[in-house]
Amino acid sequence: MDKLQGTLVYVAVDKPVKAFQKEGTPKKADEWKASVVIADEDIVDEFEEYCKSIDANPSIKKVKAADFEEIYKCDVPEGAGKNVWVITLRKSTELGKTGQPVPDKYKPRAYEQTEENGRILRTDITNTKLIGNGSQGIISIDKFERTNGTVSLYLKNILVTELIE
């Protein structure tokens, strides 16, 4: 599974944000991150099974639909039942343990998909538009396998199909 489609919330690809830091742990680099809201439990179950099969542990948060609008300041996704799931993917601004900055070509990008004269256009909006909560889109996932066998899933890119600035 290399993509997740749904409602986008808390997208931070234009500039990195501070990584969550547990007290007493080594300092973490800043990170880019984006969350996608999934209303279909079957898709979430499929994603969780995929993560278990590769031994990855992404952030999946179950949110009551009744609380969603207050927390995320946008409408509950269409077709939502009692609950929705917020899956967050991140990417550090530094390469592994080297502390070197991620090269520009590997930074996550945001693209807006529009249609003009029957043609589908994709425009890089990473540094020109802010993606607001409630936008619709697809988050692509980068899978990284380490030599010790562990696997991590990272934010790769975002394709915004319905932009709320």
Side-chain angles (χ1 to χ4, degrees):
M1 182 172 269
D2 59 350
K3 295 177 185 164
L4 288 170
Q5 182 171 354
T7 300
L8 302 172
V9 293
Y10 297 142
V11 175
V13 293
D14 57 320
K15 52 185 166 188
V17 296
K18 293 280 181 209
F20 176 74
Q21 189 72 44
K22 286 185 183 175
E23 203 170 305
T25 60
K27 184 180 185 303
K28 285 187 177 182
D30 291 347
E31 63 188 9
W32 296 282
K33 69 180 190 176
S35 298
V36 62
V37 182
I38 308 292
D40 185 337
E41 189 171 4
D42 291 338
I43 292 172
V44 175
D45 289 344
E46 183 182 328
F47 183 68
E48 285 179 322
E49 284 301 314
Y50 168 72
C51 291
K52 285 179 188 173
S53 73
I54 61 170
D55 200 27
N57 192 17
S59 170
I60 303 173
K61 180 180 176 183
K62 187 177 183 178
V63 179
K64 291 183 184 195
D67 300 334
F68 183 83
E69 285 185 44
E70 185 179 326
I71 297 168
Y72 294 97
K73 311 297 185 234
C74 65
D75 293 336
V76 177
E78 213 172 286
K82 282 178 25 181
N83 299 302
V84 294
W85 292 263
V86 179
I87 299 172
T88 302
L89 293 165
R90 298 169 168 81
K91 183 168 187 163
S92 175
T93 58
E94 294 179 357
L95 293 172
K97 296 177 183 176
T98 66
Q100 297 294 316
V102 170
D104 199 49
K105 68 180 182 177
Y106 296 118
K107 291 177 182 177
R109 301 264 188 252
Y111 298 92
E112 181 179 18
Q113 181 173 299
T114 56
E115 190 174 323
E116 188 177 294
N117 300 327
R119 293 182 52 213
I120 293 176
L121 304 172
R122 293 186 176 152
T123 309
D124 186 340
I125 61 168
T126 307
N127 297 307
T128 58
K129 296 182 181 181
L130 295 177
I131 302 166
N133 288 1
S135 296
Q136 298 296 309
I138 303 166
I139 292 181
S140 59
I141 302 168
D142 203 4
K143 180 176 138 186
F144 181 75
E145 294 183 46
R146 292 180 176 77
T147 53
N148 66 2
T150 61
V151 178
S152 293
L153 300 178
Y154 295 102
L155 173 64
K156 188 171 185 178
N157 292 310
I158 301 166
L159 177 63
V160 182
T161 54
E162 292 177 36
L163 178 66
I164 296 174
E165 280 192 75

